Amino acid sequence: MFNSLNPLVHSLTPPLKLSSSLFFISVPKPSNLFARALKPATDNFSLSYSPGSPSNQLSLAHSLQSETLEILEWASVCKQLSALASTALGFSAEQEAHIPVGRSKEESQKLLDQTTAAVDAITMAGSTPSDFSAIENVSDILSSAVSGKLLSINELCAVRRTLNAAKGLFEKLKGLALSADCSDRYLPLLEILDDCDYLVELEKMIGLCIDCKLSIIVDTASEDLEIIRSERKSNMENLDSLLKEVSTQIFKAGGIDSPLVTKRRARMCVGVRATHKHLLPGCIVLDVSSSGATYFVEPKEAVELNNMEVRLSNAERAEEIGILSFLTSEIAKSETPIMYLLDKVLEVDLAFARAAYALQMNGVCPIFSSKDCQDLDSGGASLATSVDIEGLQHPLLLEQSLKNLSDVLASSSRNHLSSDDINGLKMISGSLSGRASDFPVPIDIKIGCGTRVVVISGPNTGGKTASMKALGLASLMSKAGMYLPAKNHPKLPWFDLVLADIGDHQSLEQNLSTFSGHISRICNILEVASKESLVLIDEIGSGTDPSEGVALSASILLYLKGRVNLAVVTTHYADLSRLKEKDNQFENAAMEFCLETLQPTYRILWGSTGDSNALSIAKLIGFNQRIIERAQKWVERLMPEKQQERKGLLYRSLIEERGRLEAQTKMAASLHSDIMDLYREIQDEAEDLDKRRRALMAKETLQVQKEVMTAKSQMESVLNEFDNQLKTAGADQLNLLIRKSEAAIASVIKAHCPDDDLLVSETSTASYTPQPGEQVHLKRLGDKLATVVETPGDDGTVLVQYGKIKVRLKKNDIRAVPSIKKNPMTNSAPRLKQQSRTGETESGEVAYGPVIQTSKNTVDLRGMRVEEASDLLDMVISARQSQSVLFVIHGMGTGVVKERALEILKNHPRVAKYEQESPMNYGCTVAYIK
């Protein structure tokens, strides 16, 4: 049957090229991607045990790793990636936390390189440069083919689309690399797909046999099928022609109302009345109508043609099943390379998802620190750091903050506000989700290479646990090739295991108290931790007698320092912070607490020890004052020395000094930013001035040309009229005709010449000396009014201000305004006062910056209804930053909008004062925002 198949169908696919992958390693059966989908997420994380390790220890390590991932909410981070996946494969893997995680430092670095290449590709293309939509999850189709089930046409087309799309993805990435200046940037992505077999012959084979648009097997799929369909078509034409002829004869004989050819019991037949059945002797009755009045009969002449139709139809179906069977077997043979290709496509999809996540979070690529510290000072102390992360933000808290901020900005975009107003709305939205730039509060983590144990102390609700979780998530994210929401170039070690004991482990089923569950888990951690592990313990030694808890905690930390890469613990025991005095492998850190507001700042102070501030927190919550005072007396009795008080005072003074310095730094940075924004805006408008001048000159030149053409036309008309009259005039009328024509020409010239007053003013320009504050006309700007700022210099130039722009012009480029129009602009001249460091002028007034109108500090109410204008003005005033100015353009009109605007400015709590319109700003009021 298949001897006549298309020659391409007989071609064999090339030998398979299989290679190991850093995470998805293809094996003959089953594919690791879909086999791992049945495993828990903890199987993605490497465990540092040799094959000979006891099975119970390996099981314990898996259990601890699973609990740690749940504590750190790793699945939630993976779900953030799922929204950025382009394929169903990637979405499912990320939803189930089945993303690739390096089992070694090299594998994690390879994942990071892939993410970096994907970030470059997205940045260059503006979006994901490849279309993954045609790539489908055909694993179930492959399983059906392997089990011997016949694949349908749609299933075969799904395989073809996936193969074609995978090949297109590789070619797109290759083209992107060739078009880039440095092709090596995209090499990590190309290496993923470089050794894949795209089964081009199989894809072509399916395409030549099946039309996937129509979902049919084409005639040319095989020679036998083409012959069968051709014979069937010819036979059907003969049969149809015969039955139509018979049906027409029956109709003419009155045996049927109209000719009827139909199909009954898979055979073609005609309809005839029961009373006229005799018209077709020897016919076969195939069916009878429900009323019994009509018989559906097969004429004896059509029996053989119908038999041929049945035989050809069965042969066609058998041939189609044979073709589908052959294609199904070819796909079953290619199961391994197809599953391997799906694994690789999934790797590319996950790399682009990580890249999109990095851009969304404004993340940076982490750097893995080396195991050995080389930089030592003269005393042998290490100068290098094993962990150096600046501005780290908790990814889950950051996502919520960005979501809240985007909601606020989306609602504000529906209003016609300037970018300056939107920035103000960002500040207002801070009341909903915290300050957009400071929530979650960035933390700095700096741990020296020689440090093995970090003890963090500080108040409850101060951020100790959240900071520890952020470090744990940063370690997991870096292993998985994800960028970190931090600044600069974060550095941290590669950890084989991240083990955490955070929260209450009380269990009634296992008969464990809070302390017992806590200690039991720490015992298991000590059993499985290795030299490359990260251990996180919250409130170590809590839940028991303080003296015994301190002793047990100190012993555990001394044990951990020689058996793990890094251990970070939180505590309220002050004695644990003293371990650093005896061993330089310990480091202290404290969570900052503001004694003025009695609120934590959530920042880490490295090298410091923090107080629990229990009494301050209790007072803030609202405890009875007598209870607080009595507790304070007990603290004073228990305090061994007054030295603790002196340390506290010194600490507070240092914190206050640092706060003052930070405030001054922020003020200076803010002032510099405002000045640079204003400078850039004025510079842009100054550059635009030349364009407007050229446009104005072109307009005036065109006007002059029109006037010249008009005058020329009028003079030609006078001359033509003179010539016509000259032909018919007599000798006595000649002089009168000449004088009349001369008078007409003189009137035309006078109409197109400048006024005498203007000529006089032009001649007197050399003797004219403008004074500061005086208004003048700018000749090159169509006699626009401007204000003189400075007296003319020695070079004969004058500094004038036109609107928001100051420009120096020559004296002959300006013209004096008649005395009735001269008006010194005292109110509208820019007021620039020197601002002191405290934000006040030398006279003690609050400085509002330069009163210069720009597009960013202007709100235009013209053309609005009163209610609409009132709402917009109130919103813009609320969004404006403090100590700024706002230009409110209300126009003249009927004055209703102006009156309402002045009423709002007068009563609004944020408006310190306002100045009504001036000759330079008709219809505009300047408001000063507190």
Side-chain angles (χ1 to χ4, degrees):
M1 180 182 294
F2 299 105
N3 293 334
S4 57
L5 283 178
N6 190 296
L8 181 60
V9 176
H10 295 291
S11 63
L12 299 177
T13 56
L16 305 181
K17 300 178 181 179
L18 304 179
S19 64
S20 61
S21 171
L22 53 92
F23 172 65
F24 303 116
I25 305 175
S26 287
V27 293
K29 290 185 181 180
S31 173
N32 63 312
L33 168 61
F34 302 100
R36 287 193 178 187
L38 304 176
K39 297 182 180 180
T42 51
D43 290 354
N44 296 342
F45 291 87
S46 61
L47 302 175
S48 298
Y49 294 105
S50 61
S53 299
S55 59
N56 60 341
Q57 191 177 28
L58 189 60
S59 175
L60 177 61
H62 275 286
S63 176
L64 290 174
Q65 184 71 92
S66 177
E67 294 174 4
T68 297
L69 296 180
E70 183 177 356
I71 289 171
L72 298 180
E73 300 178 88
W74 173 247
S76 298
V77 176
C78 294
K79 287 182 179 179
Q80 292 180 0
L81 285 176
S82 65
L84 305 172
S86 301
T87 65
L89 294 173
F91 179 82
S92 176
E94 290 161 344
Q95 278 284 322
E96 301 299 328
H98 297 151
I99 66 174
V101 178
R103 289 183 168 84
S104 66
K105 180 178 177 181
E106 291 73 21
E107 291 180 358
S108 295
Q109 186 59 55
K110 189 174 183 179
L111 289 172
L112 286 173
D113 293 341
Q114 294 173 3
T115 305
T116 301
V119 168
D120 292 339
I122 293 177
T123 304
M124 181 178 181
S127 61
T128 303
S130 302
D131 184 13
F132 296 82
S133 59
I135 297 176
E136 304 177 33
N137 185 357
V138 296
S139 57
D140 292 338
I141 298 176
L142 295 177
S143 299
S144 298
V146 172
S147 65
K149 180 180 177 182
L150 184 67
L151 297 183
S152 65
I153 292 177
N154 291 333
E155 290 174 329
L156 291 170
C157 289
V159 174
R160 181 182 178 235
R161 285 193 299 269
T162 299
L163 294 176
N164 189 41
K167 181 184 176 184
L169 172 63
F170 178 67
E171 293 176 349
K172 187 69 174 291
L173 291 176
K174 184 182 291 186
L176 191 64
L178 294 176
S179 63
D181 297 335
C182 181
S183 58
D184 294 340
R185 292 165 56 186
Y186 306 106
L187 189 59
L189 291 176
L190 292 174
E191 288 178 345
I192 299 177
L193 299 172
D194 193 38
D195 61 343
C196 291
D197 184 359
Y198 297 98
L199 301 173
V200 178
E201 298 298 326
L202 177 59
E203 186 267 330
K204 290 183 179 179
M205 184 189 307
I206 298 174
L208 290 174
C209 293
I210 297 176
D211 186 343
C212 290
K213 292 183 179 180
L214 301 177
S215 297
I216 60 172
I217 299 177
V218 298
D219 295 347
T220 56
S222 72
E223 294 180 3
D224 290 346
L225 180 63
E226 187 174 12
I227 294 173
I228 291 171
R229 287 184 174 176
S230 176
E231 292 180 355
R232 186 181 178 189
K233 179 180 179 182
S234 176
N235 182 72
M236 279 298 298
E237 290 175 352
N238 296 332
L239 179 60
D240 185 65
S241 176
L242 172 64
L243 293 178
K244 285 182 179 179
E245 182 179 355
V246 172
S247 180
T248 301
Q249 293 175 357
I250 295 174
F251 169 71
K252 291 179 178 179
I256 195 72
D257 292 337
S258 61
L260 175 63
V261 177
T262 184
K263 195 172 189 178
R264 291 292 188 273
R265 295 166 60 183
R267 300 178 72 87
M268 300 299 295
C269 58
V270 297
V272 62
R273 288 194 182 98
T275 57
H276 293 70
K277 180 174 177 269
H278 64 275
L279 295 175
L280 296 173
C283 64
I284 302 174
V285 179
L286 299 178
D287 197 4
V288 181
S289 66
S290 58
S291 63
T294 304
Y295 283 7
F296 298 98
V297 300
E298 179 182 4
K300 62 180 181 180
E301 296 85 356
V303 172
E304 183 59 32
L305 292 176
N306 264 326
N307 291 340
M308 178 63 69
E309 168 63 19
V310 172
R311 288 194 297 271
L312 291 175
S313 176
N314 293 335
E316 180 182 6
R317 180 58 185 163
E319 186 69 13
E320 289 177 348
I321 292 176
I323 294 172
L324 294 178
S325 299
F326 179 79
L327 294 177
T328 300
S329 64
E330 290 298 314
I331 290 178
K333 295 176 184 177
S334 305
E335 180 207 13
T336 299
I338 294 177
M339 294 295 284
Y340 180 78
L341 180 61
L342 288 179
D343 285 347
K344 295 301 184 178
V345 169
L346 176 56
E347 276 194 63
V348 176
D349 186 20
L350 294 179
F352 276 104
R354 295 194 302 269
Y357 179 81
L359 295 174
Q360 176 180 303
M361 293 291 183
N362 197 23
V364 291
C365 182
I367 302 173
F368 291 117
S369 57
S370 59
K371 297 180 181 179
D372 301 327
C373 297
Q374 304 293 336
D375 300 330
L376 301 175
D377 61 11
S378 58
S382 174
L383 296 177
T385 56
S386 63
V387 180
D388 188 358
I389 307 177
E390 180 181 349
L392 176 64
Q393 293 179 290
H394 196 292
L396 299 180
L397 299 178
L398 179 60
E399 183 201 28
Q400 185 62 36
S401 174
L402 294 175
K403 181 179 179 181
N404 291 338
L405 179 59
S406 63
D407 293 341
V408 173
L409 294 181
S411 62
S412 68
S413 65
R414 291 189 289 269
N415 299 318
H416 301 287
L417 302 179
S418 65
S419 59
D420 207 30
D421 297 327
I422 293 179
N423 292 331
L425 287 173
K426 288 183 180 180
M427 298 174 63
I428 295 176
S429 66
S431 60
L432 300 176
S433 61
R435 292 177 57 190
S437 60
D438 295 336
F439 183 83
V441 177
I443 61 173
D444 298 335
I445 303 178
K446 298 182 183 295
I447 303 174
C449 278
T451 301
R452 291 291 174 262
V453 179
V454 176
V455 179
I456 303 178
S457 56
N460 291 315
T461 70
K464 299 190 300 295
T465 304
S467 300
M468 197 160 52
K469 285 185 176 182
L471 175 60
L473 281 178
S475 303
L476 297 177
M477 292 170 67
S478 61
K479 288 183 66 177
M482 298 173 63
Y483 279 23
L484 304 183
K487 300 177 181 177
N488 299 331
H489 303 287
K491 180 174 69 173
L492 73 167
W494 184 89
F495 300 108
D496 62 348
L497 283 176
V498 179
L499 304 171
D501 174 50
I502 300 174
D504 188 357
H505 301 283
Q506 184 184 49
S507 174
L508 297 179
E509 294 180 357
Q510 301 180 17
N511 194 25
L512 291 176
S513 65
T514 300
F515 178 74
S516 300
H518 175 62
I519 292 301
S520 175
R521 182 169 174 81
I522 292 178
C523 179
N524 292 334
I525 290 175
L526 296 178
E527 183 177 349
V528 302
S530 70
K531 286 281 189 179
E532 294 185 354
S533 299
L534 171 64
V535 175
L536 307 172
I537 303 177
D538 189 30
E539 302 292 352
I540 186 172
S542 61
T544 186
D545 179 80
S547 59
E548 294 184 355
V550 170
L552 182 60
S553 300
S555 180
I556 292 174
L557 296 183
L558 290 172
Y559 180 87
L560 278 174
K561 74 170 186 177
R563 288 170 173 78
V564 298
N565 188 316
L566 179 63
V568 180
V569 301
T570 65
T571 183
H572 289 287
Y573 297 143
D575 292 334
L576 296 183
S577 300
R578 299 192 182 100
L579 293 174
K580 178 184 178 181
E581 301 174 0
K582 301 178 181 178
D583 193 337
N584 59 9
Q585 289 184 297
F586 287 81
E587 181 59 86
N588 292 329
M591 302 307 299
E592 187 180 41
F593 188 83
C594 182
L595 296 177
E596 294 180 358
T597 62
L598 299 181
Q599 293 282 356
T601 63
Y602 306 107
R603 291 188 294 183
I604 303 178
L605 303 177
W606 290 95
S608 303
T609 57
D611 297 328
S612 295
N613 292 295
L615 299 183
S616 300
I617 295 175
K619 182 178 180 181
L620 179 64
I621 292 175
F623 259 78
N624 186 283
Q625 184 62 29
R626 293 184 179 180
I627 298 177
I628 302 296
E629 293 175 356
R630 188 176 294 112
Q632 185 63 42
K633 293 179 180 179
W634 275 100
V635 171
E636 293 175 357
R637 293 177 186 176
L638 296 175
M639 191 176 296
E641 301 176 0
K642 291 293 183 180
Q643 181 182 6
Q644 190 70 19
E645 181 179 356
R646 293 195 295 272
K647 290 173 61 179
L649 292 175
L650 178 60
Y651 172 76
R652 284 192 289 271
S653 65
L654 291 175
I655 293 298
E656 292 174 356
E657 179 64 21
R658 192 182 70 174
R660 285 194 296 271
L661 292 175
E662 289 180 352
Q664 293 178 3
T665 301
K666 291 180 180 179
M667 183 182 297
S670 177
L671 181 60
H672 178 267
S673 177
D674 292 343
I675 293 174
M676 291 304 298
D677 290 343
L678 183 60
Y679 169 76
R680 283 190 289 268
E681 183 177 356
I682 293 177
Q683 188 179 38
D684 293 341
E685 295 189 8
E687 292 175 355
D688 187 54
L689 179 63
D690 185 56
K691 297 180 181 178
R692 289 185 290 175
R693 182 182 64 82
R694 288 197 298 268
L696 184 59
M697 291 181 63
K699 181 178 179 181
E700 291 183 348
T701 301
L702 183 61
Q703 183 65 28
V704 171
Q705 291 176 351
K706 289 182 179 179
E707 292 182 359
V708 170
M709 293 297 296
T710 301
K712 185 178 180 180
S713 176
Q714 292 174 351
M715 294 177 69
E716 289 178 353
S717 176
V718 172
L719 293 176
N720 291 334
E721 184 179 356
F722 175 78
D723 290 339
N724 294 333
Q725 294 178 356
L726 185 61
K727 296 177 181 178
T728 59
D732 55 340
Q733 297 177 344
L734 184 60
N735 292 332
L736 179 61
L737 186 58
I738 292 174
R739 286 195 299 271
K740 183 179 178 181
S741 298
E742 288 177 347
I745 293 175
S747 63
V748 171
I749 295 175
K750 182 178 181 181
H752 293 281
C753 285
D755 296 337
D756 294 339
D757 294 340
L758 180 61
L759 294 175
V760 172
S761 62
E762 292 292 340
T763 57
S764 61
T765 299
S767 60
Y768 169 63
T769 302
Q771 299 300 321
E774 183 180 357
Q775 287 185 294
V776 294
H777 286 296
L778 304 182
K779 296 180 181 179
R780 295 189 178 182
L781 291 181
D783 281 345
K784 297 292 185 180
L785 280 177
T787 304
V788 178
V789 179
E790 295 179 359
T791 56
D794 296 335
D795 56 353
T797 60
V798 182
L799 180 64
V800 298
Q801 179 171 346
Y802 171 60
K804 298 168 284 184
I805 307 301
K806 290 183 179 179
V807 63
R808 189 173 293 277
L809 302 172
K810 296 181 179 180
K811 284 179 59 178
N812 56 8
D813 289 335
I814 65 175
R815 183 169 59 85
V817 178
S819 58
I820 191 173
K821 295 183 179 181
K822 294 182 181 179
N823 183 19
M825 302 305 296
T826 57
N827 294 330
S828 61
R831 295 176 292 277
L832 299 175
K833 298 183 179 182
Q834 183 175 0
Q835 186 175 355
S836 65
R837 294 184 179 180
T838 61
E840 298 182 353
T841 61
E842 295 178 354
S843 61
E845 299 178 356
V846 177
Y848 291 93
V851 186
I852 299 178
Q853 182 179 359
T854 65
S855 58
K856 295 183 178 180
N857 63 2
T858 302
V859 57
D860 194 346
L861 307 179
R862 292 176 296 182
M864 297 184 181
R865 296 190 299 272
V866 175
E867 294 80 6
E868 183 182 2
S870 301
D871 294 340
L872 178 60
L873 180 58
D874 184 72
M875 183 184 301
V876 173
I877 293 176
S878 300
R880 286 296 298 173
Q881 59 186 359
S882 300
Q883 298 183 5
S884 62
V885 295
L886 177 66
F887 287 81
V888 182
I889 301 178
H890 44 66
M892 303 302 292
T894 61
V896 179
V897 175
K898 174 183 176 182
E899 291 177 1
R900 181 56 181 160
L902 295 178
E903 182 181 352
I904 293 176
L905 295 177
K906 181 179 179 180
N907 300 323
H908 201 286
R910 291 207 63 204
V911 177
K913 59 180 180 178
Y914 63 91
E915 296 177 355
Q916 296 191 29
E917 54 191 352
S918 65
M920 280 291 285
N921 285 311
Y922 283 113
C924 177
T925 298
V926 182
Y928 297 82
I929 308 302
K930 294 181 180 179

